[in-house]
């Protein structure tokens, strides 16, 4: 690669390094990647070598010491030798000498370095065919243009040229034709030179993969009607060359095999890093800081599809890999130092390695799930497609997996990982065998010789141990690279999993890990990553018995010990409400960077400890050993581990000092309440509070409670004669607090760290303080920065447990020239001190600070800031909210000048400087500076800053507030706007509105101007405004819209993250309605869970479809490449629509719905009073018939036709407008339909809340009423499906009149019809279109329970999930299967949902065999014994003689009293006469009010009035009316347009009439007698329909009813 320069002082050749921390040194500062090669070719200058000495020779000799110096410098004493000789004999003294192996290695050099030197020597001559490996570039190619240039200058140019044409060929649908047309160029050495090998490998590998992909996606992979031969005619194939290239044109297959053999690949294959890291070109090879392979410094050389996701994903992946560039040299150096027993050298290299690793996660930021992230955005659907493309060519190839990344495998070896037994561990070892030889040799050298972990441990040097621990954490810790990677993957997979992805590249999430029932695919992958992380941590932390994410926010994050050195005033406030606290961290091995945070375990003040000890009588036992529970035991282990000693014995005083004493959480108070057997009034009073946690301490509570509790109870609860186990049960280990680090240090190992801590004050709860105002201080801030004069209360000589972490997104820009603006409120200035100390005087980018504080007295660090301002390093602007003695920045004087200014907040200051701030916010594309903006402080500060910036943009740039948000959101998406919100969580009031699951589900925010809610641990948050700021990307939050996402929150460690908690509180809008207590109503409880899960699926399906629909209709780029019609868009729509139609909306209308249908039918059949048949709506039949209807077939034909266009752009060009119009119309229908299903599901969910208000004579009635209602909703959904197909069938792609050239289009259609003769003829089986056997036999009529069971059994038997994928498939086989999966195949998410439901149905049928058999009237066909019992005379005979037969029912709902009650229910409903309309009106009003209140304005919620005297009929009618009246979706203003021929969204009038007639027949069949009770029990459907009629008659003002209504 060409010349390289120092980025700071480009012309610094031969001079001193301007950045060095060591005076007079020519080497850069710690972490500078230019050390040693800053001046190209000038080794003398770079390595400080005197001019008269040969530098190469010098370097070779520099570190060479005599072997004896290294090995025998510290020999044992004579006494030790004597002792050894006496105890183990003379021969044992042999061990005093080094082994031959050691001697040899020391004589030859450290193995890793030797591998490196050899690679560098041979590589350039051999085209690096052993793999890229060099000191300077690590695993990157030293010159990314070299191999490609060599290929271009050889006959192999045909391959690289074709690669360059590929996106165009894909867009035209002519990939295979183009490849087949290539003339054969052999890949032998005489034709393709060694230098071109890597480029040839990548080019040919990519071409083979795209061939395969196109073959599998030729327009017949989705819904397909006419048979088409995927084979091309007259093409010479490589079938004889092995599985990998079978069916691939010889023009690429043969050279690919030849090149692979030359590259040492026995089976032709590409790796993940070939596709990414070796498929890039570097824009500016000189721009190397911090490493050359950065996202912004590279282009994807040969994209195959040419879309943004492919580019962003592969470049992001390449950056992750290449960000380790300097790690290779660092590791080789570590080994050398270990070999030389050079601790200082090792320390320096470990610190360098740690910094490389700590920087690596930022590479993830280059891949974004935020659609505004420009070229960093990854569209999930495109990513899904790329994963299919990248699958290996055969089952025996190694998988294309990130696990094979050389940095991962190298770091595993370096850190001494030994356990590889997890799924990913096994795969990693398998993939390692397929790495290029140089890389394998290097990894083996690190793994097997001079192991660093053992040396560090044996050294006993706390600095080495500390730094090494930091390396472990940075690589595989929860907040390190692996932790961040895990979270990134979770988000990507969740979004992709819901939009059709089946597996990861590494295939986790696609295998049955035995936990299918509970984990969704991305959760499985998360678990697999956690298992691998635990294996990596095992050598250093032992076996972890918790998941890594559970360590977050706990003591486990504080792995170092520091001491409090001083507390200093930072302003002129005499009360020192904010202080600079300095900790002594020397010899800990801690290093940090600007923006890093310190976690610290606080200690309770002595007075708080004393209050507790006095009340519990522990004064004399403070030094006694405490009995530890599991949590405290882990804490003790942790203390032992970090002290490098045995586990310490914790005493009573330790529990009091380190346990959680304040504030009072509900768990703590409840524990006390139980311990005291509910006898304390004070505790009861506290429990009745409406705000948690209560602002008081355990000491306050105990002091008060002891006064009103009987001494006997007190003594029993807190028995002092036992083992005091109650103490640790009551007091849990405190959690650490986080503080932004306020210093920047250039020391190799900083010896101190500064924090800026403001004391948090709060008023003691009135329960304890009465009418007086008593101020208290936060545990940690009060300990670190106590009131002036009260230091003695916290005085301690104890070590403080501390840890350092790096936020995912709060760092200075890599580029020193980028301008930086900081906004701080109060102590929010803390992290910025490290920013300005680091940048001032070194970076060229402008730096400004906007600070809001109360008064001049509270202006922190004024002197220091003035100094920086005077030196011209930064601008400082201030706003004082309670002080008119203002300060103004004067750019001419470079000073802060006193001036009278009315008090103001930071937003006013921002508006004042609006123009400059707008320039910072706006991206370079928008004409701005593309600056970096940081906000730090409380949530209030954040609000104020944002409102100021919005106003500034509105004033200076935009005309509407909407476009203002767009500008801001772009800054967030580009990761130039970063937040550090450090509020402590606020107490939340308990009297907030209750939000039902259905209200939550309706707020998915996918339509413009609608709100997005999420549910987390029983609370609902409106996160619409936060979405654009989410560091993980907006799509991740959106994919959880409308559902309870607590599980994801836990897995992503958001739950115990104070930052997330404090931000969330800002968006809190109400409590999520809890599941009603269905005591003694197991059926209802079971149905509730089932329906809830269905609602969740319905909601997630709406959101996921919206993602895909957005990609289809949202961007014109999808449909056109330049001016030409793009087959990419056609294919995208074809895949999406095929998947929906082919699977028949499987997540909604598959096993999940069938399970509901089965269980509801069972309940209804069971509650029927007679053993006669229960007539049920034929829901499954309606669905099956809908799927097999003529309308469905017509719709499928249309989609099939679109599939054929994907491989025939010639024909497609005549139908451009038709295809686009069809696509946009169908996705519109899809969304409309899915939203309707969700609304139905919401109605069902609401019924569970209302049903308990129903006045019923028995629980059976209640259950039956609800089941009847739910059954009708299912029926309604099924009918919607039929209507959907009918709607779709009305549209056609072929609309010549709309095309640019109608006559040509018509002629083309005709020609096409004449030519193939298959147009519109169903020639191939359409899986979704063929109704099951049972469906054909029935018209629209009600069915027996027996039919239901038979149908369900059929579903279970024919389901592929009954024959699960064999688990003994090899990994390679599983990976290859990915490429064969059709894009229209069911997504992993749907498979998982269906699988769970099928299993549940199967279990249900097994568990209820007898009852089902009885209700079905027919005994199980295969059970001969049962058959005989029921039908044979012997059975009768047996019964007569008292021989046991199956009991009639095991179900409690069959009790005679319940059966007797049924007629009463129906009678009441029919005779309630005059009171009925009034009651119903009340209920409807109640329902409506409840929905309106909570949906529109949660803040103004009023409690729902309970209707106590409702009749069942009124309740059901209410439910039904609600079903009919629920607004479509509150967030869909105006709704979607309806098809031209059917304005009401139904199929058409005739069809509707048909359906209605069929339904009526069902009622008639089921309810033929005039006896109301009889008809009620015979046909639930009938009665429901009658109820609906009645309800609609009532709402329509018709009050006339006769006896038949309700029957
Ligand atoms: C990323 C980050 C960076 C930070 N940086 C700084 C910094 O540089 N300087 C600084 O001064 N502070 C900083 N903080 C805040 C700091 O971590 C502490 O939260 C703060 O010092 C208060 O802790 P404490 O122990 O003194 O208060 P606590 O004793 O924990 O309580 C203080 C107040 O919070 C309430 N409270 C406590 N826990 C809860 C809860 N679970 N739910 C509801 N209310 C609760 C209490 O009732 C009381 O009013 C930062 C926080 C974060 C998350």
């Amino acid at each position: 690669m060409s010349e390289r320069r120092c980025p700071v002082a480009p012309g610094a050749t031969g001079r001193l390094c301007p950045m060095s921390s060591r005076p007079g040194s020519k080497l850069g500062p710690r972490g500078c990647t230019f050390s040693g090669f800053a001046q190209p070719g000038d080794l003398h200058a770079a390595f400080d070598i005197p001019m008269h000495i040969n530098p190469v020779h010098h370097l070779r000799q520099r570190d060479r010491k005599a072997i004896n110096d290294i090995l025998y410098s510290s020999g044992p004493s004579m006494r030790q030798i004597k002792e050894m000789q006496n105890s183990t004999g003379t021969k044992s003294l042999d061990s005093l000498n080094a082994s031959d192996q050691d001697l040899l290695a020391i004589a030859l050099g450290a193995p890793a370095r030797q591998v490196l030197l050899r690679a560098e020597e041979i590589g350039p001559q051999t085209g690096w065919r052993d793999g890229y490996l060099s000191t300077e570039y690590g695993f990157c190619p030293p010159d990314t243009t070299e191999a490609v240039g060599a290929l271009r200058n050889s006959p192999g140019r045909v391959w690289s040229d074709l690669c360059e044409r590929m996106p165009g060929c894909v867009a035209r649908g002519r990939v295979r034709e183009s490849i087949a047309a290539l003339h054969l160029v052999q890949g032998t050495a005489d034709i393709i030179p060694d230098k071109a090998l890597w480029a040839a490998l990548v080019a040919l590998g990519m071409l083979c993969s795209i061939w395969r992909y196109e073959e599998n996606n030729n327009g017949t992979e989705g819904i397909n009607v006419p048979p088409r031969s995927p084979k091309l005619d007259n093409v010479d194939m490589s079938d004889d060359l092995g599985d990998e290239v079978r069916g691939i044109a010889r023009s690429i297959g043969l050279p690919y095999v030849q090149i692979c053999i030359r590259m040492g690949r026995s089976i032709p294959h590409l790796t993940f890093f070939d596709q990414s890291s070796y498929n890039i070109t570097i824009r500016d090879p000189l721009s190397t800081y911090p490493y050359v392979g950065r996202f912004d410094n590279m282009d994807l050389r040969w994209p195959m599809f040419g879309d943004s996701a492919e580019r962003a994903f592969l470049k992001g992946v390449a950056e992750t890999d290449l960000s380790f560039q300097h790690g290779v040299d660092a590791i080789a150096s570590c080994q050398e130092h270990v070999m030389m027993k050079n601790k200082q050298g090792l320390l320096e290299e470990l610190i360098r390695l740690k910094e490389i690793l700590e920087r690596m996660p930022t590479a993830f930021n280059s891949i974004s799930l935020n659609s505004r992230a420009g070229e960093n955005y990854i569209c999930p659907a495109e990513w899904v497609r790329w994963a299919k493309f990248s699958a290996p060519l055969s089952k025996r190839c190694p998988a294309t997996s990130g696990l094979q990344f050389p940095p991962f495998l190298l770091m595993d070896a370096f850190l001494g990982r030994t356990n590889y037994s997890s799924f990913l561990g096994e795969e990693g070892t398998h993939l390692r065998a397929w790495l290029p030889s140089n890389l394998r040799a290097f990894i083996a050298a690190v793994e097997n010789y001079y192991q660093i972990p053992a040396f560090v441990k044996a050294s006993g040097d706390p600095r080495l141990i500390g730094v090494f621990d930091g390396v472990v954490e940075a690589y595989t810790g929860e907040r390190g690279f692996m932790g961040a990677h895990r979270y990134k993957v979770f988000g990507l997979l969740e979004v992709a999993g819901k939009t059709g992805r089946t597996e990861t590249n590494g295939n986790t999430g696609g295998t049955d890990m035995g936990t299918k029932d509970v984990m969704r695919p991305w959760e499985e992958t998360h678990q697999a990553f956690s298992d691998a992380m635990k294996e990596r941590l095992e050598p250093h932390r032992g076996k972890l018995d918790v998941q890594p994410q559970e360590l977050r926010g706990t003591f486990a994050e504080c792995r170092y010990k520091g001491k409090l050195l001083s507390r200093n005033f930072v302003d002129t406030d005499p009360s020192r409400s904010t202080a600079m606290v300095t900790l002594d961290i020397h010899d800990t091995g801690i290093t940090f960077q600007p923006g890093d945070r310190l976690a610290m375990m606080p200690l309770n003040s002595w007075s708080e400890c004393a209050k507790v000890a006095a009340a519990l009588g522990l004064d004399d036992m403070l030094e006694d050993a405490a009995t530890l529970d599991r949590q405290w035991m882990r804490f003790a282990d942790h203390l032992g581990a970090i002290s490098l000693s045995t586990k310490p014995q914790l005493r009573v005083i330790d529990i009091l000092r380190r346990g959680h004493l304040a504030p009072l959480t509900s768990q703590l108070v409840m524990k006390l309440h139980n311990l005291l057997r509910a006898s304390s009034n004070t505790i009861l009073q506290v429990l009745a509070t409406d705000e948690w946690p209560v602002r008081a301490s355990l000491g306050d509570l105990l002091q008060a409670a002891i006064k009103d509790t009987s001494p006997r109870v007190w003594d029993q609860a807190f028995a002092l004669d036992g083992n005091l186990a109650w103490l640790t049960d009551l007091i849990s280990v405190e959690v650490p607090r986080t503080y932004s680090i306020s210093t920047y240090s250039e020391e190799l190992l900083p010896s101190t760290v500064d924090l800026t801590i403001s004391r948090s004050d709060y008023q003691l709860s009135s329960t304890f303080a009465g009418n007086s105002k008593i101020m208290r201080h936060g545990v940690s801030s009060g300990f670190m920065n106590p009131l002036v004069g009260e230091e003695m209360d916290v005085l301690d000589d104890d070590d403080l447990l501390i840890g350092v972490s790096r936020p995912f997104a709060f760092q200075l820009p890599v580029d020193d020239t980028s301008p930086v603006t900081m906004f701080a409120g109060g102590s929010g200035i803390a992290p910025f001190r490290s920013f300005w100390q680091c940048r001032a005087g070194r970076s060229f980018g402008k730096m400004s600070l906007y600070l809001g504080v109360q008064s001049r007295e509270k202006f922190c660090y004024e002197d220091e800031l003035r100094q920086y301002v005077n030196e011209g390093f930064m601008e400082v602007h201030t706003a004082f909210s309670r002080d008119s003695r203002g300060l103004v920045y004067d750019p001419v004087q470079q000073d802060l000048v006193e001036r009278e200014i009315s008090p103001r907040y930071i937003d006013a200051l921002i508006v004042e400087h609006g123009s400059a701030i707008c320039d910072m916010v706006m991206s370079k594309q928008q004409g701005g500076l593309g600056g970096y903006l940081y906000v730090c402080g409380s949530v209030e500060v954040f609000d104020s800053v944002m409102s100021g910036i919005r106003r500034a943009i509105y004033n200076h740039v935009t005309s509407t507030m909407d476009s203002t948000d767009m500008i801001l959101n772009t800054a967030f998406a580009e990761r130039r706007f970063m937040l550090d919100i450090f509020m402590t969580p606020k107490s939340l009031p308990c009297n907030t509105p209750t939000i039902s699951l259905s209200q939550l589900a309706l707020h998915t925010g996918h339509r413009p101007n609608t709100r997005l809610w999420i549910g987390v641990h029983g609370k609902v948050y409106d996160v619409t405004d936060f979405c654009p700021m989410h560091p993980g990307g907006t799509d991740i939050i959106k994919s959880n819209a409308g559902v309870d996402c607590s599980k994801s929150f836990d897995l992503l460690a958001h739950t115990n993250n104070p930052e997330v908690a404090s931000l969330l509180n800002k968006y809190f809008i109400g409590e999520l309605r809890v599941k009603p207590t269905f005591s003694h109503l197991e059926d209802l409880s079971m149905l509730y869970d089932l329906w809830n899960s269905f609602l969740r699926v319905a909601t997630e399906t709406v959101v996921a479809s919206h993602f895909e629909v957005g990609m289809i209709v949202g961007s014109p780029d999808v449909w056109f490449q330049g001016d030409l019609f793009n087959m990419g868009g056609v294919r995208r729509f074809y895949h999406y629509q095929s998947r929906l139609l082919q699977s028949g909306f499987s997540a909604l209308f598959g096993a999940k719905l069938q399970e509901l249908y089965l269980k509801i039918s069972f309940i209804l059949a069971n509650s029927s009073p007679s053993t006669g048949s229960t007539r049920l709506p034929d829901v499954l039949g309606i669905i099956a018939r809908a799927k097999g209807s003529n309308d469905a077939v017509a719709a499928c034909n249309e989609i099939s036709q679109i599939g054929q266009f994907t491989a025939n752009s010639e024909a497609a060009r005549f139908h451009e407008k038709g295809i686009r119009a069809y696509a946009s119309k169908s996705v519109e229908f899809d969304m409309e339909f899915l939203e309707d299903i969700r609304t139905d599901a919401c109605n069902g969910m609401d019924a569970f809340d209302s049903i308990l208000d129903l006045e019923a004579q028995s629980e059976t009635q209640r259950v039956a009423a609800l089941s009847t209602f739910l059954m009708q909703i299912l029926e309604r959904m099924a009918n919607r499906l039929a209507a959907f197909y009918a709607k779709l069938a009305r549209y056609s792609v072929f609309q010549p009149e709309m095309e640019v050239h109608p006559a040509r289009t018509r002629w083309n259609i005709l020609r096409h019809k004449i030519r193939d003769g298959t147009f519109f003829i169903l020639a191939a089986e359409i899986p979704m279109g063929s109704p099951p056997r049972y469906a054909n036999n029935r018209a629209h009529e009600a069915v027996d329970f027996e039919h239901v069971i038979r149908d369900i059994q059929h579903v279970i038997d024919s389901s592929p999930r009954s024959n699960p994928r064999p688990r003994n498939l090899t990994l390679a086989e599983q990976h290859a299967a990915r490429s064969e999966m059709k894009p229209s195949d069911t997504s992993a998410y749907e498979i998982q949902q269906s699988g769970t439901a099928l299993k549940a149905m199967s279990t249900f049928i097994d568990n209820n065999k007898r009852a089902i058999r009885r209700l079905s009237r027919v005994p199980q066909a295969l059970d001969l014994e049962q058959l005989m019992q029921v039908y044979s005379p012997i059975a009768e005979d047996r019964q007569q003689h008292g021989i046991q037969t199956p009991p009639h029912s095991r179900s409690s709902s069959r009790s005679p009293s319940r059966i007797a009650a049924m007629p009463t229910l129906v009678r009441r409903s029919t005779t309630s006469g005059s009171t009925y309309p009034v009651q119903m009106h009340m209920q409807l009003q109640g329902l409506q009010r409840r929905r309106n209140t909570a949906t529109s304005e949660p803040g103004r919620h009023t409690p729902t009035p309970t209707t106590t005297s409702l009749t069942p009929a009124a309740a059901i009618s209410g439910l039904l009316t609600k079903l009919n009246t629920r607004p479509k979706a509150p967030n869909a203003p105006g709704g979607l347009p309806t098809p031209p021929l059917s304005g009401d969204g139904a199929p058409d009038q005739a069809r509707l009439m048909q359906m209605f007639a069929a339904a009526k027949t069902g009622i008639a069949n089921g309810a033929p007698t005039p006896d109301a009770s009889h008809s009620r029990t015979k046909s639930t459907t009938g009665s429901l329909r009658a109820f609906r009629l009645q309800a609609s008659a009532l709402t329509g003002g018709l009050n006339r009813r006769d006896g038949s209504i309700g029957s």
Side-chain angles (χ1 to χ4, degrees), residues 1424-1441:
L1424 195 60
E1425 199 190 332
Q1426 300 295 329
L1427 270 176
M1428 286 168 67
Q1429 279 179 4
V1430 177
Y1431 288 117
S1432 77
I1434 307 166
E1436 276 171 30
D1437 192 44
R1438 274 192 194 166
Q1439 276 175 356
Q1440 277 164 17
H1441 293 90

Side-chain angles (χ1 to χ4, degrees), residues 72 84 88 90-99:
Y72 303 117
M84 206 168 149
T88 45
T90 311
K91 281 197 179 155
S92 69
L93 298 181
D94 292 355
S95 65
L96 295 177
N97 302 304
S99 71

Side-chain angles (χ1 to χ4, degrees), residues 693 695 737-740 756 758 778-781 830 982 984-986:
R695 290 155 194 267
R737 306 294 194 275
T738 309
Y739 295 97
S740 303
T756 308
S758 78
V779 173
S780 169
S781 55
F982 62 63
T984 21
K986 273 206 175 119

